[in-house]
Amino acid sequence: MSDPFDGTERSLGQLVASATAEMSALVHDEIALAKAELRQDVKRGGMGAVLGLVAAVVMLFSLPMLSFALAYAINTWTGGHNGNGGWNLVWCFLLSFAFNMIVGGLLIAIAWAQFKKVKPPEKSIASAKQTAAMLQNVKPHPRPEGVPAAEVTMAKAQTVARSSV
């Protein structure tokens, strides 16, 4: 930022150009901050999406093999291996299905937790609000207290009229 008290007076055009350049730099910095925050949130959201996709693929491809293996293991565990019959295979397959759904549900819960970590760009929003608040308080020419606005406007108009003659 340039020093306003460097001993030289700057023209109105130079002041406007300086203010415009500084405002442009401020806007570019805020955009860069927003991009950085959004990039981080996109990574988090991407991780949640990948975990959700992996959960779906695992559930889809593992169900037949895991279901058969688990069902026959339950049947064997309940006495089916020694000729006593054990549990009916229907119940064994239902237990196998329930186990697979619990594992898939846990993977979906982990994916959902990753999605919930995605937040709005708080730093960018705070910075933009701070800039807006600062710009609202900027007044180019404060009015003298106790003087009505119409008189100030008339005085400025007369000054301009005198200088253009």
Side-chain angles (χ1 to χ4, degrees):
M1 191 181 287
S2 61
D3 183 15
F5 304 106
D6 61 358
T8 62
E9 291 197 26
R10 300 186 322 182
S11 70
L12 180 61
Q14 290 171 329
L15 291 173
V16 169
S18 174
T20 303
E22 290 174 8
M23 283 298 297
S24 176
L26 178 65
V27 168
H28 286 291
D29 289 345
E30 287 187 6
I31 289 172
L33 176 63
K35 282 182 181 180
E37 285 184 315
L38 289 175
R39 212 173 282 127
Q40 182 179 13
D41 286 339
V42 166
K43 286 181 184 178
R44 287 182 186 150
M47 180 58 75
V50 166
L51 285 174
L53 185 62
V54 167
V57 168
V58 166
M59 288 173 65
L60 181 67
F61 291 132
S62 70
L63 278 178
M65 290 184 291
L66 288 177
S67 294
F68 277 96
L70 187 58
Y72 282 109
I74 292 171
N75 183 269
T76 301
W77 179 65
T78 59
H81 66 287
N82 60 11
N84 292 338
W87 287 358
N88 189 334
L89 277 177
V90 171
W91 294 112
C92 296
F93 276 101
L94 285 174
L95 283 174
S96 171
F97 174 76
F99 175 77
N100 289 334
M101 288 298 106
I102 289 171
V103 169
L106 288 174
L107 289 172
I108 288 173
I110 292 170
W112 184 255
Q114 288 294 317
F115 280 123
K116 287 183 109 177
K117 287 183 180 179
V118 175
K119 300 175 187 171
E122 295 168 356
K123 292 178 184 176
S124 298
I125 292 170
S127 176
K129 285 181 180 179
Q130 183 181 13
T131 301
M134 180 201 58
L135 291 176
Q136 286 177 350
N137 293 332
V138 173
K139 296 179 182 170
H141 299 288
R143 294 184 192 153
E145 291 187 26
V147 179
E151 288 181 25
V152 172
T153 305
M154 237 4 220
K156 286 181 181 179
Q158 290 173 354
T159 304
V160 171
R162 267 188 261 128
S163 65
S164 63
V165 173

